[in-house]
Structure formats: structure tokens, C-alpha cells
Amino acid sequence: MPPIVTSAEIGRPAAEVFACATDPARFKEWQKGVVDGHMDGPADGAQTPAVGARCVTTRRIGGASRPSTSELVHIDPPRAWGVRGTDGPIRAAVDVLVEPVTGSRSRLTISVDFTGYGIGKILVPLMVRREARKEMPDNIAALKRLIEEG
């Protein structure tokens, strides 16, 4: 199955869009179900995460908080960022692309795909992809509002 891809044009420069869209501490402000997030691991002196850093996101699922860890596999600020899940029965692959449209407008594209392990092999096609397909437009709209309202 192809990844789930959602895009939006945002009335802010690429650096601002990238900073907000790739900061796990801010995921709870725009992603449904996220209650916490942070980066662990390699960073340069400016605290920019580096390839190999871990992105830990906690989501509220079925009444319980469930953390999941992803590894940062590529980063090219303020243009591209990607993580791959490393634990749990459902592992997400997320790629963020920010393209300048003008000096003050950017196009944000987020691509999400899932791989199931164990029970996740059943859940990904039955529930996870369908829920993600429904949530992604709302999440992107919430992120657009968050960034534009500053």
C-alpha cells in the first residue's frame, strides 16, 4: 500500500514551518492522541537533532498512555526530516518535506506509512491506516492554524 500523504500551504517561512512540524514537544498541540514527546540522543551545539537521535512520542490509545520510539533517519533543515519506528507492534515511517513557495509561504507535505509486527500485522490494514487517513487532514489543518497564528 502507498503511504498516506497530506499537504498544506502555510503562510509562514520554511524555517518556522519545519521547526514546529518536527518538534516532538509540540506534537501534542496538533496531533490527535499525542500527550507527550521529546528527542533523545545526538545533537549538535545548537541542539539540532542528528541522524540516530530518538524521537519518543506518547499517545493515548484505548485509555492508556503508550510511548513509542522512532529513530531519526534523515534531517536537512529546514527542508526534510524523517523517522522510522523502532519498537512496538505498529511502527510508523514519517517523512516531512517543507518547500518554500515564496519568502513568507511554504508547502508542507507529511507522508506516513506503517509496518505491523505480531498483532500489528492485523491492526495496520484493519484500523491503523484507516484512522491515519481520517486524522491526517485534521492534524495538518491544526498544525497550519498553530503556525499561522504564531
Side-chain angles (χ1 to χ4, degrees), residues 31-49:
Q31 287 186 33
K32 182 179 177 188
V34 174
V35 295
D36 192 30
H38 65 276
M39 292 298 295
D40 284 340
D44 65 22
Q47 297 306 310
T48 300

Side-chain angles (χ1 to χ4, degrees), residues 15-93:
E16 287 182 41
V17 174
F18 183 86
C20 190
T22 63
D23 181 356
R26 301 201 67 187
F27 288 175
K28 64 186 172 195
E29 297 176 54
W30 60 275
Q31 287 186 33
K32 182 179 177 188
V34 174
V35 295
D36 192 30
H38 65 276
M39 292 298 295
D40 284 340
D44 65 22
Q47 297 306 310
T48 300
V51 169
R54 289 170 307 285
C55 175
V56 181
T57 306
T58 303
R59 295 179 183 276
R60 196 88 175 142
I61 301 171
S65 293
R66 302 186 191 278
S68 66
T69 303
S70 298
E71 180 178 350
L72 185 60
V73 295
H74 65 87
I75 184 167
D76 181 17
R79 188 174 192 292
W81 183 87
V83 294
R84 302 294 178 266
T86 60
D87 62 5
I90 299 164
R91 301 180 193 178

Side-chain angles (χ1 to χ4, degrees), residues 4 10 18 22 32 49 58 66 72 85 111 126 130-131 135 139:
I4 299 161
I10 300 176
F18 183 86
T22 63
K32 182 179 177 188
T58 303
R66 302 186 191 278
L72 185 60
S111 172
L126 288 179
R130 183 176 62 231
E131 286 301 310
E135 288 177 13
N139 287 347

Side-chain angles (χ1 to χ4, degrees), residues 4 6 131-143 145:
I4 299 161
T6 309
E131 286 301 310
R133 198 176 313 283
K134 283 183 359 189
E135 288 177 13
M136 282 299 294
D138 292 340
N139 287 347
I140 292 280
L143 179 57
R145 280 191 306 276

Side-chain angles (χ1 to χ4, degrees), residues 82-104:
V83 294
R84 302 294 178 266
T86 60
D87 62 5
I90 299 164
R91 301 180 193 178
V94 181
D95 289 294
V96 174
L97 178 65
V98 181
E99 301 167 289
V101 175
T102 67
S104 62

